Amino acid sequence: MQAENSRPEVRLQGIAAAPGVSRGPAYLLFQGKAIIACEKISDVEAEIRRFESALSSTRLEIAKLRNEVASRLGENEAAIFDAHLLVLEDVALIDDVSKEVRQTELNVEHCFQEVAQRYIDIFERMEDDFLRERASDIRDVTGRVMNHLLGARPEHKVQSALQQVVVAKDLTPSETATLPTDGVLAFATEEGGQTGHSAIMARALNIPAVVGVKGLLAAIEEGDTVLVDGQAGLVIVNPTSATIENYRGKEIAIRTQRDRVMQEINLPDCTRDGHAFAIQANIGGPEDMLGAQEYHAHGVGLYRTENLFLRLDDWPSEEEQYTEYAEVVRRAQGKTVTFRTLDLGGDKRLGDLTDEANPFMGYRAIRLCLDRPDIFRSQLRAILRAAVHGSVAVMFPMISSLDELRQAKQFFQATLKELVDEGVIHSTMPRLGAMIEIPSAALLANHLARELDFFSVGTNDLVQYLLAVDRGNQRIAKLYDPANPAVISTLEAIFRAAQNQGIAAAVCGELAGDPHWAPLLIGLGAHELSMTPTAIPEVRYVLRHSTLAELKDLVVRVQSQTEGVIIKKILSDFKLSKLNYH
Ligand code: PEP
Ligand code: MG
């Protein structure tokens, strides 16, 4: 049997990014090159008129934007749009596009993209900083023109993607953060990996998602029905009625099991033989505290503070940060909120951060903060002021050396003193920790532990840096393997260092919220596991139904193996023995 539009069912395997199953009409999100067709046209002059009309619509759009920004932020800020308007007046660029259409008789979107890219390449190679920056102006403006040519305005269309499945080449974390959660049924992307920040956000937003789906855009047309199975990492285009029926059964089974684990949601975090652990929540803002409360999290183990910056797509003031942080601390009702200081960079790009060849190894997190004391200071002030409303811990991301940690701590202490001297707060020092997510930090764990109150292991990055596998690159996603024994020995060494120095060890990477991995992490010596709130019920259930002896035995069995596949099978069998569904 075929779906109504009679196109055949197509199954595409990707990477399971956020659980759940959803089905709906495809909404194709335009993102540049990938979906611009190259077609022969019959009426060259009409094509050029389309181009001219797109140019004048873009001029109006930018002029309007310019006026809005001038009245909201001032003339200086609005000046950027004058530069954008100049791009639209660039006679050479406009002539080149018209010439290309006449010569090739190809559609204007294709010709425009070719010409614009040539200009961008030329400017990007310029020595002069000012001229080089013109490349991003051209990219921005040409994107707008392209949207008019395609009759699409992404920022509005995402809003209108209600009750649809968003299909895109890739979603940036800020695009994911602004998806309307009440209406987007699911999303599927051609790029991305399991621990990319878009996948992490999808889990937090509770939207089923599959990423890294090869051939996705080529297989889907606007209006196709798409089923996203976020559990199996499967995208089914135009599912037959037999497939839909099959999924109905699966959804019922998932719901039944979910009800079972939810029955134990408010029981204590301890194993069957009384070994205590703590499950905490990973959050990105005040709204996520609802999930943290619903699933009885023991406070917040990771507050990704950069999410506010990504949502605003701008640098918030100290006051704006304080307002949001204080709200989170208040909502935690005395439970500890662990603030991670700003972790921008990598796949979390913001405005004037320049593009880099290797962003994950570049200007990111604590490196950026130590280089920009103005940004670091305003964030630390906002956190310390918010701390007045409850219990706060602070940790630094991407620490790679003792020197870096000491600089961060000194800056923190100086900021604290400044606020105390101003009479804004009393002198109470929050607990200080570091993310252990860079191999050098893991090797230095014994030394770092002497200067900290806690570790929080960022397995997402630790795995990527240890194995030299970009966490967001679909082509090498198979190599991103936490079951590589090198990862497991590294984790063991980190927990041992924490234990030797008598400090707490948490895990806040995605492994903590994976019911296959949580038992191993507790067996290896982690005290706290912090995860996206929706992951809490299963992890709590599996651990509560285990004994510490079983978890230690699991560690021994895993450590006797050298192959990732066998290790994964051992973890999967253990999970299934406690929680009988995938
Ligand atoms: C990690 O790296 O595991 C982590 C929790 O931080 P992020 O995913 O934000 O890099
Ligand atoms: Mg990290």
Side-chain angles (χ1 to χ4, degrees):
M1 263 178 287
Q2 299 294 315
E4 303 89 63
N5 72 1
S6 82
R7 296 206 334 120
E9 174 176 303
V10 176
R11 288 177 175 239
L12 300 167
Q13 186 64 51
I15 301 163
V21 175
S22 259
R23 175 171 49 97
Y27 165 72
L28 290 166
L29 189 61
F30 164 68
Q31 281 171 318
K33 285 185 181 179
I35 54 171
I36 293 173
C38 171
E39 293 160 344
K40 271 277 173 209
I41 42 142
S42 51
D43 188 345
V44 165
E45 294 312 315
E47 203 66 1
I48 291 171
R49 278 198 300 280
R50 267 200 329 117
F51 180 49
E52 281 161 359
S53 143
L55 287 175
S56 54
S57 306
T58 311
R59 274 184 209 113
L60 286 176
E61 180 184 80
I62 295 179
K64 185 162 168 265
L65 208 59
R66 192 206 174 285
N67 291 343
E68 276 169 20
V69 172
S71 61
R72 211 155 39 94
L73 302 172
E75 279 298 321
N76 278 351
E77 281 70 18
I80 174 80
F81 296 107
D82 293 331
H84 287 192
L85 284 167
L86 282 180
V87 175
L88 291 172
E89 306 299 338
D90 189 324
V91 180
L93 186 139
I94 296 169
D95 281 357
D96 280 359
V97 175
S98 307
K99 251 187 242 151
E100 186 102 0
V101 173
R102 288 203 170 87
Q103 274 165 11
T104 61
E105 295 183 2
L106 291 172
N107 57 320
V108 67
E109 289 86 351
H110 173 80
C111 298
F112 179 56
Q113 175 163 285
E114 295 283 303
V115 173
Q117 193 57 50
R118 278 208 297 273
Y119 275 70
I120 290 169
D121 289 346
I122 292 170
F123 278 102
E124 268 178 348
R125 282 198 295 268
M126 300 232 171
E127 293 277 318
D128 184 287
D129 284 351
F130 175 77
L131 289 175
R132 235 186 5 256
E133 273 169 25
R134 292 265 299 158
S136 72
D137 291 341
I138 300 176
R139 198 179 288 112
D140 195 319
V141 175
T142 52
R144 286 181 190 279
V145 176
M146 190 65 87
N147 289 335
H148 283 288
L149 282 172
L150 294 168
R153 298 195 42 194
E155 64 271 33
H156 293 154
K157 285 196 87 173
V158 175
Q159 297 303 329
S160 69
L162 296 178
Q163 305 306 322
Q164 298 184 71
V165 173
V166 173
V167 174
K169 184 159 176 61
D170 199 4
L171 285 174
T172 63
S174 52
E175 281 165 337
T176 314
T178 50
L179 285 177
T181 48
D182 51 345
V184 171
L185 295 170
F187 76 74
T189 61
E190 197 157 297
E191 312 261 323
Q194 233 257 332
T195 60
H197 285 98
S198 296
I200 291 173
M201 276 182 196
R203 287 193 280 279
L205 295 170
N206 220 356
I207 300 176
V210 178
V211 298
V213 190
K214 238 184 178 160
L216 180 74
L217 294 175
I220 299 181
E221 287 178 11
E222 194 94 43
D224 278 345
T225 298
V226 178
L227 186 150
V228 172
D229 178 347
Q231 218 95 17
L234 198 60
V235 174
I236 307 180
V237 189
N238 296 317
T240 62
S241 20
T243 300
I244 293 169
E245 199 42 48
N246 197 2
Y247 264 94
R248 236 170 245 137
K250 208 168 165 180
E251 278 167 45
I252 293 170
I254 291 174
R255 224 173 300 129
T256 313
Q257 298 285 2
R258 185 81 178 168
D259 291 346
R260 184 148 65 93
V261 296
M262 278 304 285
Q263 278 166 13
E264 301 198 1
I265 198 63
N266 56 359
L267 297 182
D269 279 345
C270 69
T271 58
R272 257 174 43 217
D273 52 350
H275 174 75
F277 54 90
I279 295 191
Q280 302 169 312
N282 287 356
I283 65 157
E287 322 73 51
D288 296 341
M289 291 306 290
L290 289 174
Q293 265 142 15
E294 182 182 348
Y295 299 115
H296 297 257
H298 287 276
V300 172
L302 167 63
Y303 180 1
R304 286 188 166 96
T305 54
E306 58 280 359
N307 281 20
L308 169 65
F309 295 60
L310 295 171
R311 263 183 274 127
L312 295 176
D313 198 15
D314 206 350
W315 302 95
S317 64
E318 177 186 323
E319 216 46 43
E320 281 171 303
Q321 294 180 70
Y322 165 73
T323 306
E324 171 141 329
Y325 300 164
E327 180 64 19
V328 167
V329 175
R330 273 193 222 100
R331 289 196 193 189
Q333 298 176 335
K335 290 182 181 151
T336 299
V337 177
T338 310
F339 281 79
R340 176 176 71 185
T341 61
L342 195 61
D343 185 6
L344 281 174
D347 59 350
K348 292 180 279 197
R349 317 293 299 159
L350 186 67
D352 53 357
L353 286 180
T354 47
D355 280 341
E356 295 182 306
N358 288 306
F360 270 111
M361 297 214 267
Y363 194 63
R364 187 186 161 188
I366 197 69
R367 300 167 182 186
L368 183 159
C369 286
L370 291 175
D371 185 55
R372 290 286 304 267
D374 52 329
I375 292 171
F376 200 22
R377 180 169 169 273
S378 76
Q379 178 174 51
L380 293 180
R381 284 178 63 94
I383 295 173
L384 285 164
R385 286 172 56 202
V388 171
H389 303 285
S391 166
V392 158
V394 176
M395 62 183 180
F396 306 114
M398 294 273 291
I399 291 292
S400 65
S401 68
L402 275 159
D403 180 47
E404 212 171 26
L405 173 66
R406 287 175 187 154
Q407 281 183 54
K409 280 181 67 178
Q410 264 168 25
F411 197 89
F412 183 87
Q413 274 146 359
T415 311
L416 180 86
K417 181 169 181 312
E418 184 182 288
L419 282 167
V420 173
D421 291 349
E422 285 171 23
V424 179
I425 60 166
H426 301 296
S427 171
T428 35
M429 185 72 177
R431 289 171 70 236
L432 283 186
M435 298 276 297
I436 305 295
E437 52 185 347
I438 292 184
S440 58
L443 288 165
L444 290 169
N446 268 311
H447 298 284
L448 292 170
R450 284 195 201 102
E451 310 198 9
L452 289 165
D453 300 311
F454 67 97
F455 282 164
S456 188
V457 185
T459 51
N460 307 337
D461 278 316
L462 186 62
V463 172
Q464 98 163 331
Y465 295 128
L466 209 49
L467 305 182
V469 178
D470 179 344
R471 62 196 260 192
N473 186 336
Q474 166 264 329
R475 278 150 105 195
I476 48 168
K478 271 208 190 83
L479 296 176
Y480 186 95
D481 184 11
N484 183 318
V487 174
I488 295 164
S489 331
T490 307
L491 290 171
E492 190 194 19
I494 298 169
F495 298 142
R496 200 179 325 110
Q499 190 169 9
N500 288 345
Q501 301 303 328
I503 67 166
V507 180
C508 65
E510 295 302 291
L511 289 190
D514 184 333
H516 298 93
W517 283 89
L520 188 79
L521 295 172
I522 297 291
L524 280 167
H527 307 110
E528 295 160 356
L529 300 178
S530 192
M531 62 200 70
T532 187
T534 50
I536 294 176
E538 288 186 4
V539 170
R540 180 169 283 148
Y541 186 94
V542 169
L543 293 174
R544 280 186 43 78
H545 285 255
S546 307
T547 63
L548 186 60
E550 283 173 336
L551 302 181
K552 297 268 181 219
D553 174 62
L554 180 68
V555 169
V556 173
R557 283 188 291 130
V558 162
Q559 286 186 325
S560 70
Q561 299 301 328
T562 50
E563 283 179 52
V565 258
I566 300 177
I567 291 173
K568 276 184 279 208
K569 174 83 172 71
I570 295 172
L571 296 181
S572 169
D573 289 346
F574 185 84
K575 186 215 123 175
L576 282 173
S577 72
K578 305 293 173 192
L579 192 64
N580 198 11
Y581 73 105
H582 296 273

